[in-house]
Amino acid sequence: MKIIVQPQKGGSYKLLFYDGRNVRGAGYVELQDTPRGPRPTKYRVKWGTKKEYRHTPSKDLVANLRDSDVRLTKRDHPFETFLADFQVKAGTVDACRMCLLDEKYTPLDENNTVLFGKNERICLDCGRRELRREVSHIGRLGRDGIAHLESLLVQFRNLDRVLATLNPEKLTMGAALFDKLEAHPVMTTAPLDELPLPRQFIDASGVKQLMPAQQLAVEAGLLYGKDLLVVAATASGKTFIGEMAGIKNYLEGRGRMLFLVPLVALANQKYERFAERYGKFAKTGLLTGVSRLNLPETRKVGDRNPQAPIIVGTYEGVDNMIRCGQRMQNIATVVIDEVQMLEDKDRGHRLDGMIARLKYLAPQAQFLYLSATIGSPKVLAKKLNCTLVQYADRPVGLERYLLFVERKQKIPTIKQMTTEEYKRTSSKGFRGQTIIFTNARARCHMIADALGMRAAAYHAGLSAQERRDVESRFLQGKLMAVVTTAALGAGVDFPASQVIFDALAMGRDWLSVQEFNQMGGRAGRPDFHDLGRVVILAEPGGSYSRENPFTEEEVAIRLLKGEMEEVAPEHDFEQSSEEYVANAVACGGEEADLNRINGMMVGSMEPVLPELIAHKLVEKHGTKLVMTPLARVMAEHFIGMERLLEIIRLTKTMKDPVEIIAELESEDVHKEKKPDPKKTVHEKPGRKRR
């Protein structure tokens, strides 16, 4: 038997009787001074499950002490004197005070100890219990959030440090560090002038040495016409991979280059880059569509020549030409930037169809697909019939932080972090700058206004001139932060050292792991920074839609731990009908060619031809499908059959076009309120999907 003696305030002592596995009994005793020294008095004890203490003769205590291993939780002269008088040897033990209060015994060692309060040591189990009690006031904190805090407790062994993640005012960033993606030593690469590239290109490019991802692409056959899927981190030089192949193919007489991106702002950046570098020997054209508003800032920027040697365009800008029946002639290189957009629920089917149409129209062209983040790239490379080039290592290390922050605390926390980051200067001489992602345009302006003059909102609702002004000021280091929507996560090339997530939603839907990694990967550039930092500000219990399960702190942990799923889009009837008629336009309605284009699409299509024929949108004449004018409207205006039929129905009851548009918009809003079962937080196999 082991007897644990815990001195109490007021001169009493608590006793626990421990048999090596369980506490068998508990008691209290006091000491009184006598001529012979301190002696026990008022000895009370209970055994087993009994709740009441019984007064017991002191001689029973002395007998138990003589037969047991006696341990004091701290040195106590009166009790040690009493034990010595009865020839009882005693030692000390470091035991958890909280366990002793519950009449449990847990000796402490380096493997089970947690610091609490003023450097008090308690056991890990009591630390967990105390943690749950401390966070109980945050009633909306989900199980995943609590589990994450408990994992931090195991890691740091300091309860106050873990609780600091819930209190930004007391926070040290070390406590909020979730993980760190280390920078990888740069591999040996070839000088540009040792490669089989035209001298004109080498001189104009301004590049002396390949980056690792570029080296791997060259080794995979980039300069010999091989189709490649290049998956590498942001700032790993993917754009230049497209430039090497495209300019080489043009200068050697094989044909022109198409460089396609998802956003107008990104297209403008690429256009300016190519025009400046290669303008002396290859003109660059810009195809991004035309704004319906005739304002100075929305008028055409750059050369809109679709026959230029280099064409930079948005997906829809180039696809519109194809859907209108124009042929893309003399194309030798097609570069699809941000190819992970195949998974986008609104635009993925259009990118999928456009790639298939371009393959049909330019069968001899070299196709290069670029992405920073994509799930199961081997599977996608097989679907695209190309070679995978994958470079997972980051040229700059990336630290990822998770903070649990109430919504009202987010903006003050963002202000503190962006200000501190802007004070830092890297070894390359650049100040720390921040991209802040949020879920709504109004929130962009709210945060930017709170941050002051050195911050700016950036979203698709701004004019082209306003966006260019923000881009310019950020690149010049005049802005400490840009606040943008998640929709621009794969967009403009802002060289930021820090990325902060004010929200983990795109609109009302949670981000996918792929989207999150794409956006967070924008932190840290090798030519600018020594380290990248990603900070998630997760609101406990926060949500952006009643239909979407999980709360923001649960989603944060799923995103940080999750794995991306393979790109396997499933196009619904509306999307399938839109792509079907667009494919039919591209091949002139020849059924065999149409089936070939459909077969080259990555996603799965629904059978739509019977419905198109039934509604007299398409007529079948032998082996050829003849498109009616309404079917061509579907193709040219990017709409599906159901949308077209609804427009026709509305025109029969409404005369005012504005009323028709308003009705269509209200129907769209109603549809958006319904939960989308395909929009999920991608997780590791075996986890539940929401």
Side-chain angles (χ1 to χ4, degrees), residues 20 101 381 456 531 547 594:
L101 289 173
L531 181 70
E547 291 83 7
L594 178 55

Side-chain angles (χ1 to χ4, degrees), residues 225-472:
K226 285 289 186 71
D227 292 351
L228 304 177
L229 168 60
V230 182
V231 181
T234 301
S236 57
K238 294 187 295 296
T239 295
F240 192 67
I241 291 173
E243 293 174 50
M244 283 193 285
I247 304 300
K248 173 182 167 68
N249 287 335
Y250 169 70
L251 291 176
E252 294 180 353
R254 297 183 190 89
R256 302 182 295 142
M257 174 173 74
L258 273 179
F259 198 105
L260 306 181
V261 296
L263 298 169
V264 172
L266 192 54
N268 289 337
Q269 278 194 343
K270 302 297 183 188
Y271 169 81
E272 292 171 1
R273 168 176 171 156
F274 296 163
E276 181 180 350
R277 281 189 176 182
Y278 311 118
K280 291 182 179 179
F281 57 82
K283 296 292 184 182
T284 301
L286 182 65
L287 297 181
T288 57
V290 180
S291 173
R292 295 182 178 90
L293 300 176
N294 186 20
L295 300 172
E297 63 266 23
T298 61
R299 289 174 190 153
K300 294 181 180 180
V301 175
D303 186 350
R304 297 284 174 146
N305 179 13
Q307 304 304 320
I310 304 171
I311 298 176
V312 177
T314 56
Y315 303 154
E316 288 83 358
V318 170
D319 197 18
N320 182 253
M321 293 179 58
I322 301 173
R323 288 167 177 254
C324 290
Q326 299 182 44
R327 295 275 173 166
M328 303 298 294
Q329 297 180 347
N330 195 28
I331 300 297
T333 314
V334 177
V335 182
I336 309 292
D337 199 9
E338 312 290 0
V339 73
Q340 77 279 351
M341 290 292 291
L342 282 167
E343 277 283 76
D344 186 89
K345 68 174 184 178
D346 296 319
R347 300 171 66 194
H349 64 286
R350 292 170 183 160
L351 175 58
D352 193 7
M354 183 195 66
I355 291 172
R357 292 186 280 278
L358 284 171
K359 285 183 174 180
Y360 170 78
L361 295 171
Q364 303 303 316
Q366 178 181 10
F367 279 76
L368 303 172
Y369 310 93
L370 312 178
S371 178
T373 54
I374 207 158
S376 300
K378 290 182 181 178
V379 177
L380 180 60
K382 186 175 181 180
K383 291 178 180 179
L384 291 170
N385 193 28
C386 63
T387 301
L388 174 64
V389 173
Q390 192 170 10
Y391 184 70
D393 300 320
R394 286 183 55 86
V396 175
L398 185 70
E399 293 180 344
R400 305 196 301 176
Y401 297 84
L402 173 58
L403 282 70
F404 296 134
V405 181
E406 295 291 341
R407 187 168 180 81
K408 64 183 179 181
Q409 293 178 307
K410 284 190 174 184
I411 291 179
T413 304
I414 290 170
K415 187 171 185 177
Q416 177 186 344
M417 290 183 172
T418 53
T419 302
E420 290 177 357
E421 187 69 14
Y422 197 57
K423 293 177 182 177
R424 297 188 180 99
T425 301
S426 72
S427 62
K428 283 89 171 176
F430 291 90
R431 303 183 78 163
Q433 293 172 280
T434 303
I435 300 175
I436 301 156
F437 286 114
T438 190
N439 71 314
R441 296 176 185 178
R443 180 77 173 168
C444 285
H445 290 282
M446 182 186 299
I447 296 172
D449 290 345
L451 297 184
M453 295 295 292
R454 289 193 177 274
Y458 186 95
H459 53 72
L462 300 179
S463 69
Q465 181 58 48
E466 287 171 328
R467 290 198 300 272
R468 284 196 293 271
D469 177 61
V470 174
E471 294 163 21
S472 175

Side-chain angles (χ1 to χ4, degrees), residues 495-561:
S497 57
Q498 178 172 253
V499 167
I500 296 177
F501 286 89
D502 169 66
L504 293 175
M506 185 180 292
R508 296 182 304 169
D509 293 325
W510 295 123
L511 296 173
S512 67
V513 173
Q514 184 182 77
E515 291 163 341
F516 169 73
N517 287 342
Q518 177 76 27
M519 295 154 69
R522 310 197 76 79
R525 301 301 180 88
D527 295 333
F528 293 82
H529 313 118
D530 306 311
L531 181 70
R533 184 195 302 245
V534 174
V535 182
I536 298 178
L537 304 181
E539 178 188 0
S543 181
Y544 299 92
S545 171
R546 292 181 179 179
E547 291 83 7
N548 290 333
F550 300 130
T551 56
E552 193 165 52
E553 88 282 357
E554 292 177 317
V555 171
I557 294 163
R558 281 168 162 79
L559 292 176
L560 287 164
K561 292 183 176 180

